[in-house]
Amino acid sequence: MGGASVWPYKSTSRNRGLVLLALGVVKVATAEQLRQLVLPGTADVQTVRNVCKDLRSVGLVESVGRTSFVSSSGRPVWRDLWNLTTAGLASAATELGRPVKEIGGTARDAAKASAPHALAVTDTIDAFRQSPPQPTKPVARRTAPAPVRELPTRPPGLGHLRGWETEVPLPVSGTFTTPARGSLRADAVLTAPEAGVPVLFVEVDNHTEPDAVVARKIESYRRFFQRTTKDHRDRPVPFWQSLWDPSDRDGHPPLALVLAKDGVSPEARMNRMKKIRDLSIPCWRGDRRGGSSYDPAAKDGYRDYSGTIPVLATTLAQLRLHGPHGPVWWRYGHPGWETLQDALDNPDDVRAYRHREEQRRTEREAQRERERQEREEEESRRKAAAWPCPTCGSQVFPDDDWETRPPGSDCTVCTNIAEREQQEAEARAAEEAAAREEARKNGLFGFLR
């Protein structure tokens, strides 16, 4: 970017590259925001202002708008807004390592209109990143050295600045470069696979739209995620996976809904979250499935999240204070505030159900094994109590043919034979006795009667 004489405000090459990188992502920001994003360790914001002025001197950035806020004393405070020029877009694309067409426009019109929503998106990205302040090289002094500054501490952040994109088109039809009417733009998208999180879409809410409009945006996200295309094997795959990698989680990529407006009571924020939740139920609540393959009496089941969006709501104030890993997320359908990993999890999905089913299968097999062992032990006891039949020599069991038998008795077969022979003998004896009685009664002259 030229020799040292080009830079009248004495900014460093490193700092200029960082500011171009930040503006390539967020498009428009104040010097204070740029400092938080990429140079939080500087002593004051003047370092970043000097960087912006140097970049303006060579036509890479410009300041065409201002924004204001009310200070603690009640006075309005004005801040210059910085955005890239057309030439600055090319330089920012180089810093980001992306084609110019992928990083969007100069945001000149937004800067002229004070860019309230774009500034809220910038604050949200900063709250996600929580860029840790790094000490800067102290200025050489002839007098006594300057006292060591105590750098502020920030909670752990998420992602690198190069992993962020803003104003990303999500075409429900058409292409990413020429989306069809009815498509929407994601306020921001974070890709941070190194952090173990799926691609995260971020919607920043400034309370400027009705609840129903925000809920319809969630439905538009789902329509985009449901869109399919053909892969190299002519198989249908989600269209969004042509830009972003899939994860192993059920459902579509998560959507972070960040309520960013200051001066809103906690009750009002929560009421808005609840209304948006209730109006977008079909988008995030999975279908209930029930039953068990191993225990028909088990009243168990799971939710199928395959066609749903995990919607994670939070506020910018919470995100700033606790960072993205703190318990700041309310996942629609979950009972309370959670960390990011817990909010992304589906404790009632098919994975947990399969785990419970596996436990039931294991318990069923264990029960069957116990019953088998009991049968074997009972059979061993029967065999140990058996004796040889005194008549035929075969084994006789105490409960032979479900009939208790005294020890030493004959087997069932021999007992039956003996009983039958006894019955036959008794029958023959009865017949013979009857015949004798008949002969006695009739005698020799019985025919005369």
Side-chain angles (χ1 to χ4, degrees), residues 256-373:
L257 177 63
V258 181
L259 276 64
K261 185 176 181 180
D262 293 326
V264 179
S265 69
E267 294 78 11
R269 286 197 183 102
M270 181 54 67
N271 288 337
R272 184 166 174 82
M273 286 183 187
K274 289 180 179 179
K275 289 177 181 177
I276 295 172
R277 174 201 62 182
D278 295 342
L279 291 169
S280 60
I281 285 176
C283 297
W284 55 261
R285 186 170 65 184
D287 296 328
R288 181 71 179 176
R289 306 279 190 257
S292 171
S293 301
Y294 302 101
D295 185 1
K299 295 181 179 180
D300 196 6
Y302 64 94
R303 287 197 178 275
D304 179 7
Y305 291 98
S306 57
T308 62
I309 302 175
V311 181
L312 284 60
T314 189
T315 67
L316 180 56
Q318 286 181 299
L319 204 55
R320 280 171 170 161
L321 181 61
H322 302 290
H325 298 292
V328 301
W329 301 102
W330 179 30
R331 163 78 176 271
Y332 285 170
H334 288 198
W337 299 106
E338 298 174 308
T339 63
L340 181 60
Q341 289 297 337
D342 288 342
L344 289 173
D345 191 27
N346 298 316
D348 60 346
D349 69 357
V350 70
R351 294 173 305 158
Y353 172 77
R354 285 172 179 165
H355 178 69
R356 294 191 298 274
E357 279 284 82
E358 180 62 21
Q359 288 180 323
R360 283 189 282 266
R361 185 191 66 80
T362 302
E363 291 172 359
R364 185 177 180 182
E365 290 183 353
Q367 178 63 26
R368 287 177 174 174
E369 179 62 20
R370 287 193 298 269
E371 292 173 353
R372 185 190 64 80
Q373 291 178 358

Side-chain angles (χ1 to χ4, degrees), residues 390-433:
T391 302
C392 68
S394 63
Q395 274 193 320
V396 183
F397 298 94
D399 57 349
D400 196 22
D401 286 343
W402 301 281
E403 182 180 359
T404 303
R405 309 190 68 79
S409 61
D410 284 350
C411 67
T412 302
V413 175
C414 292
T415 299
N416 291 340
I417 292 173
E419 289 177 351
R420 187 169 63 251
E421 289 176 349
Q422 182 180 356
Q423 291 172 358
E424 290 174 352
E426 291 174 352
R428 286 195 300 272
E431 288 176 359
E432 291 173 357

